[in-house]
Amino acid sequence: MAVIELAHYGPDFNADPYPYYAKLRETGPVHEVIARDGDPFWLVVGYEEGREALADPRLSKALATMGYESSDEAIMGPHVLTLDPPDHTRLRKLVAPEFTARRVERMLPRIQRVTDELLDAMGPSGSGDLVDALAFPLPITVICELLGVPLADRDTFRVWTNEIVAPTTPEGQRVMTVELCAYLDALIEDKRKAGPTDDLLSSLLRARAEDGDRLSAAELRAWAYVLLIAGHETTVNLIANAVRCLLAHPGQLAALRADFGLLDGAIEETLRFEGPVETSTVRFTREPVSYAGTEIPAHRTVLISLASADRDPARFPDPDTFDIRRSATEGRGPGHLAFGHGIHFCVGAPLARLEARIVLRTLLERCPDLALDPAAGAYDWLPGLLIRGVRALPVRW
């Protein structure tokens, strides 16, 4: 099997990677790949193989599997994206109760108020960037309030997180990580001195498991880091991608406007068709592993293309069609891998779905003639393989 060099793919791969993924799937569900920076890895592009790999205990999240130390972990502390059981199990257990569906639903009134305030600020008519006006400020407001981060620091967070999830340079990513972690250290120390409040960071400072276990200072910083990044950056692009897909498919938009009972289906179809996370975070083979007859040697880096898996025709009929009724007509539920699968399934999935549900319905109800701005030109797509989205979404209303 030939090694795939991403550098040979043109700039349109970033704008529309799906035809490339389709060609890869035609020749097999697993490929050896050379990244644009020259680093080798193995890419899983098939749905069944991707689902298996996401939950495969033979794949480790710890860089120590490769015999290296994690520079990111040295900066931010151990976190769930770089740990295996039992360490992963322990950390997730201490935080997961804060993200149950019931607890998240209690946030609905506040999310609705923030959405209304942002739409009020947009005015009854006009034009502008929907990412800047709505898709970014809503999730960052929600996650900052949840964690107890001052909203005055919102714009600074945007600079940090944009460079971390879609880096322009490796050094820029590292600098932003160091700055964000230093900020979180100071914030946590302030909360420790101030005493109990009702925000999540304060709760995690006090949280103890039944056996008396609690988060260390480094673990708390790392959790705050992960929740801030994953808790808003992915939701920003879920909201923007959903609006972009609906506006690009007027028949689907009309169906949704006529029946908001299709709203959950529209969100799930966005997650499948144009999800905010293009590939999983890295995993490493502990031993040789095989998927669909292709062996990946031990101590290799593995990425699962969620974007490709969720367009696999072996799982989704007519996968390149955006169909907000898909889950109901197929009768098998969402089935997509946009939030992952297995023990690393996204802990914030209920919050992301709730925010998307509220903002999409409110936006469409209050802006009945919402449309893409025809004078805007080509999209500026986020770089890299991790986050799938655009930097700006110019619209008129």
Side-chain angles (χ1 to χ4, degrees), residues 28 30 203 221 235 252:
V30 182
S203 296
R221 179 210 307 130
T235 309
Q252 299 292 303

Side-chain angles (χ1 to χ4, degrees), residues 178-233:
V178 170
E179 289 185 7
L180 176 53
C181 287
Y183 173 90
L184 293 172
D185 281 337
L187 179 66
I188 291 167
E189 185 58 28
D190 287 346
K191 290 185 177 297
R192 196 185 309 275
K193 292 177 181 177
T197 58
D198 61 358
D199 62 73
L200 179 56
L201 277 183
S202 294
S203 296
L204 293 178
L205 274 167
R206 304 188 304 270
R208 289 182 183 271
E210 293 179 0
D211 60 1
D213 186 24
R214 67 187 306 171
L215 295 170
S216 69
E219 290 166 347
L220 182 58
R221 179 210 307 130
W223 254 121
Y225 176 95
V226 170
L227 292 173
L228 273 170
I229 300 293
H232 93 271
E233 192 69 41

